[in-house]
DNA sequence: ACTCTAATTAGATGAATATCTAAATATTGA
DNA sequence: TCAATATTTAGATATTCATCTAATTAGAGT
């Protein structure tokens, strides 16, 4: 886990909102995009950053890409900062 | 608490390292700066961002400025993201 | 008041980020 | 194979960020 990539990823409000939406369950790229006043290409860039951080996983279903939350990465990163030992690179 | 300011603040590895150093106890600006290969003005900018996020508090002692960790802000912000309810602005 | 030390603010610069429009890719179904 | 749908990649631009050097502020001691 690249801890720095994770913290970079969650530094943007739109990306945190994406994670929050995915807590309710997996969702397609288009459905997620519908929750924002941003173009799909812009959202796609945000998805990529979340995927690079392994905060989400993606699965293709037909023409749609379904995004899933990977909660454990989030927990690991945040508990690292909250806990005693240093995990900052 | 401006949640976005908090997540912005902890997105940079140097600032996370500062927080980690302060877990051991309060420390002066100069002492903190000694832990990094960066100039003092650069560190000063990082301190300001942590202070804006209220992640640290500052107290003057003579010519020194002593930084203290404010752990509760960190806990609030991170548990907001980990928990069920959305706190993203 | 002067000087020393500690730290900050100001100003400049190069790199990174977020966003858009336009074009490309992938999958499905007629 | 052609067309439609879903999504991404490419390229451009404006803004923000991290960093440096130089100058400034604040306090303590002589």
């Amino acid at each position: 886990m690249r801890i720095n990539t994770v913290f970079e990823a969650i530094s943007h409000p739109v990306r945190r909102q994406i994670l929050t939406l995915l807590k309710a369950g997996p969702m397609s790229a288009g459905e997620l995009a519908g929750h924002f006043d941003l173009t799909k290409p812009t959202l796609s860039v945000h998805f990529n950053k979340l995927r690079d951080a392994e905060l989400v996983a993606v699965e293709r279903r037909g023409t749609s890409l379904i995004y899933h939350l990977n909660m454990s990465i989030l927990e690991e990163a945040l508990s690292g900062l909250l806990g005693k030992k240093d995990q900052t690179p």
Side-chain angles (χ1 to χ4, degrees), chain A:
Chain A
M1 182 195 34
R2 300 279 38 249
I3 192 127
N4 204 39
T5 308
V6 175
F7 278 103
E8 271 291 314
I10 64 175
S11 71
H12 196 287
V14 165
R15 292 191 291 264
R16 289 199 304 281
Q17 180 76 39
I18 290 169
L19 295 179
T20 298
L21 287 166
L22 291 178
K23 281 181 199 169
M27 216 180 283
S28 74
E31 195 174 354
L32 282 167
H35 286 81
F36 299 91
D37 263 355
L38 295 169
T39 65
K40 286 182 177 190
T42 295
L43 265 295
S44 198
V45 171
H46 288 305
F47 297 153
N48 275 339
K49 288 184 194 253
L50 290 171
R51 199 152 49 97
D52 286 350
E54 296 176 89
L55 286 164
V56 303
V58 65
E59 163 215 2
R60 180 176 281 281
R61 198 174 309 169
T63 60
S64 291
L65 293 179
I66 312 294
Y67 284 93
H68 302 253
L69 179 60
N70 183 355
M71 200 65 182
S72 62
I73 290 279
L74 193 59
E75 283 164 359
E76 266 185 67
L78 301 196
S79 68
L81 187 56
L82 284 173
K84 286 263 186 300
K85 103 176 182 315
D86 173 46
Q87 292 185 268
T88 304

